[in-house]
Amino acid sequence: MTDRKILLSEKDIPQKWYNIAPDLKTPLAPPLHPATHKPLGPEDLAPLFPMALIAQEMCPDPFIEIPDEILDVLKLWRPTPLVRALSLEKALKTKARIYYKNESVSPAGSHKPNTSVAQVYYNKQEGVKRIATETGAGQWGSALAFACSLFGLECQVYMVRVSYDQKPYRKMLMQTWGGKVAASPSTLTKYGRAVLEKDPGNPGSLGLAISEAVEDAVGRDDTKYSLGSVLNHVLLHQTIIGLEAIEQLKSIGEKNPDVVIGCVGGGSNFAGLAFPFLKDKLKGKTNPKVIAVEPMSCPTLTKGLYEYDFGDMAGMTPLVKMYTLGHDFMPPSIHAGGLRYHGMAPLVSNLAKDKVIEPRAYHQIECFASAVLFARTEGIIPAPESSHAIHCAIDEAKKAKDGEVIIFNLSGHGHFDMASYDKYFSGQLEDYEYPMELIKAALKTVPKV
Ligand SMILES: *Cc1c(COP(=O)(O)O)cnc(C)c1O
């Protein structure tokens, strides 16, 4: 009988992260100062991040040692299972072998604690007492609150207003781990107060919440800022996913995958699985199809421009070269809350520009249908974000040749997203394609550099 779960023991957990930057075809464009448009130095980032993370952000080495104190916490749930989706394969009558990396087994229910634990560790090392951050659907805020609770730091989360109202359970998760949660726009920051004055009913957005968290961190000596995706060091911390997956496939004598799939919001879970597989592809040793899947309603990679833009709405963050829908993008209220960011990780953007990876967009209703099929075959109820990866895997499996190997990242479970499933079942979900006119209008706001 074929094994369903491919497990590594704790002693086989990867000891190093993989940094893809030195292996890129085109070197990464440098981040620029938001005011002067000059390349950033480490000192420009020092008010926001501890020096160890700044060093990782700019690191020229392909591998970086993972400190034992971080591995010790990651072992609460890592290594995560690689699962052969036998029941899904059977339902699809596919000739492909489908595997998924199950990142939903972490305490917060997604891949995000892989980086929150590392980030909080380095902050603590450098004497930081409090961390400020933003959260959209609440996944990142809960991952950071979890990590802060283990290392004894305070955690202030600015949570996008609509999610705060619609997803009270994530707020309670954060509070259970000791986090303080404010609905954004909030009255705690100057920027939040200014937005509320003009528009008291503002539903918030990730870009706006980032502005508040950055203002909070810059304004206090004991506080630094933390970001759950997009940045190089965040993607670096996630590579433990793909490094484990490579060992797991090897352990059962499976060949290199033909297709590697992840959903993309800011790009971190996709990068986590895909980058270790791209190492050999960039060297010309293998040639897997590597697909980054996004929603039609937030088509950053498939329709956005490749330009320097701000990471936040107020224009306080560094300018980074990335695919963007414009920093004042107001996302439509689709249910994959974690996929609604206007930008994309510079590393993922670089690889898409060079056509090393392939972007793809799907509508939310087809993704929910695939999520339900997955739940009814493999048992796990996926996060709406992860359903985009699942739908793509199913799409690829349907047209696969005999013996093709497909691997995707199950970035999280959907236990706190059941209201979205309810809407899907009662026919209240609508598909929405972000219109070209709005993209064109937003792109006028991209700064000239
Ligand atoms: C946050 C989140 C995402 C999107 O973020 P990435 O940085 O692109 O990974 C995807 N899936 C889940 C479950 C998430 O919580």
Side-chain angles (χ1 to χ4, degrees):
M1 261 213 284
T2 311
D3 282 349
R4 278 187 186 259
K5 290 197 304 300
I6 303 134
L7 303 171
L8 292 179
S9 71
E10 284 183 21
K11 68 174 173 35
D12 294 324
I13 196 167
Q15 307 284 317
K16 290 174 182 172
W17 292 300
Y18 168 54
N19 174 25
I20 201 170
D23 291 335
L24 295 173
K25 282 192 189 173
T26 308
L28 208 56
L32 306 178
H33 191 280
T36 64
H37 295 187
K38 297 236 167 67
L40 279 188
E43 65 289 353
D44 294 311
L45 293 172
L48 292 177
F49 304 108
M51 288 318 287
L53 292 176
I54 296 171
Q56 290 180 0
E57 193 63 21
M58 304 176 168
C59 183
D61 308 323
F63 286 97
I64 295 170
E65 199 91 33
I66 310 177
D68 283 344
E69 293 89 337
I70 294 175
L71 287 175
D72 193 47
V73 176
L74 294 182
K75 282 178 188 171
L76 284 171
W77 72 95
R78 302 206 75 85
T80 63
L82 179 72
V83 186
R84 173 88 184 268
L86 285 169
S87 304
L88 177 65
E89 286 174 20
K90 209 163 146 193
L92 295 171
K93 300 190 178 68
T94 176
K95 294 179 189 138
R97 296 193 288 282
I98 307 175
Y99 297 88
Y100 61 90
K101 191 69 169 143
N102 186 3
E103 290 298 310
S104 79
V105 299
S106 79
S110 77
H111 63 290
K112 289 195 172 80
N114 295 331
T115 184
S116 68
V117 168
Q119 292 190 43
V120 173
Y121 166 79
Y122 289 116
N123 272 287
K124 185 177 169 124
Q125 286 288 94
E126 296 183 29
V128 176
K129 300 279 183 270
R130 179 175 173 275
I131 300 185
T133 197
E134 72 291 334
T135 196
Q139 293 268 25
W140 170 242
S142 46
L144 191 69
F146 155 70
C148 281
S149 74
L150 289 186
F151 287 103
L153 272 70
E154 250 187 82
C155 181
Q156 173 67 53
V157 181
Y158 294 88
M159 184 174 189
V160 175
R161 175 99 240 172
V162 268
S163 302
Y164 185 92
D165 294 335
Q166 286 172 4
K167 303 199 165 164
Y169 291 106
R170 287 216 178 273
K171 179 183 74 193
M172 293 168 207
L173 270 189
M174 292 182 247
Q175 289 167 338
T176 304
W177 279 311
K180 295 204 174 83
V181 190
S184 166
S186 78
T187 54
L188 301 183
T189 66
K190 245 162 75 184
Y191 188 65
R193 287 191 295 272
V195 170
L196 284 173
E197 204 162 290
K198 270 196 236 149
D199 178 15
N202 189 298
S205 74
L206 212 48
L208 200 165
I210 294 175
S211 300
E212 289 205 89
V214 167
E215 184 187 322
D216 179 318
V218 170
R220 285 178 61 149
D221 282 344
D222 63 346
T223 303
K224 296 255 187 250
Y225 169 67
S226 171
L227 192 60
S229 186
V230 181
L231 298 176
N232 304 345
H233 68 264
V234 177
L235 276 53
L236 173 80
H237 301 153
Q238 294 295 352
T239 57
I240 195 164
I241 301 171
L243 292 165
E244 283 179 6
I246 287 174
E247 287 311 310
Q248 285 162 311
L249 289 174
K250 258 194 215 154
S251 76
I252 53 161
E254 183 57 280
K255 64 172 186 161
N256 289 318
D258 299 288
V259 188
V260 181
I261 300 166
C263 65
V264 284
S268 74
N269 88 85
F270 164 79
L273 178 69
F275 284 7
F277 288 102
L278 287 175
K279 186 166 176 41
D280 278 352
K281 178 166 174 160
L282 286 163
K283 293 214 164 77
K285 288 195 209 160
T286 58
N287 193 23
K289 177 149 87 171
V290 180
I291 311 173
V293 191
E294 62 187 12
M296 285 276 195
S297 54
C298 185
T300 316
L301 280 175
T302 49
K303 286 192 183 163
L305 265 198
Y306 188 53
E307 293 287 355
Y308 271 103
D309 198 8
F310 298 107
D312 70 327
M313 197 167 233
M316 292 194 274
T317 68
L319 287 163
V320 292
K321 185 94 182 264
M322 62 179 175
Y323 281 95
T324 176
L325 297 169
H327 59 274
D328 60 359
F329 170 75
M330 280 304 271
S333 62
I334 59 152
H335 287 275
L339 304 184
R340 289 185 298 184
Y341 183 59
H342 70 273
M344 185 56 64
L347 284 169
V348 173
S349 296
N350 172 297
L351 290 159
K353 181 72 183 166
D354 280 349
K355 302 205 178 337
V356 178
I357 62 168
E358 178 188 318
R360 194 176 292 180
Y362 290 116
H363 278 301
Q364 62 175 354
I365 293 178
E366 57 189 350
C367 291
F368 266 99
S370 289
V372 170
L373 174 62
F374 186 78
R376 290 178 186 177
T377 50
E378 295 297 316
I380 298 171
I381 298 175
E385 292 88 355
S386 317
S387 76
H388 290 70
I390 294 171
H391 185 65
C392 181
I394 291 175
D395 214 14
E396 289 294 312
K398 282 179 178 164
K399 54 192 190 206
K401 292 197 235 30
D402 206 13
E404 209 169 292
V405 171
I406 298 171
I407 180 169
F408 72 88
N409 202 12
L410 183 75
S411 53
H413 66 64
H415 296 180
F416 296 97
D417 302 285
M418 295 319 293
S420 304
Y421 278 86
D422 187 45
K423 285 207 171 131
Y424 168 71
F425 288 124
S426 59
Q428 291 176 64
L429 282 192
E430 278 170 21
D431 281 340
Y432 174 81
E433 193 168 343
Y434 199 69
M436 267 334 259
E437 306 87 79
L438 279 183
I439 292 172
K440 278 187 197 131
L443 291 173
K444 289 213 183 89
T445 67
V446 170
K448 306 259 175 303
V449 297

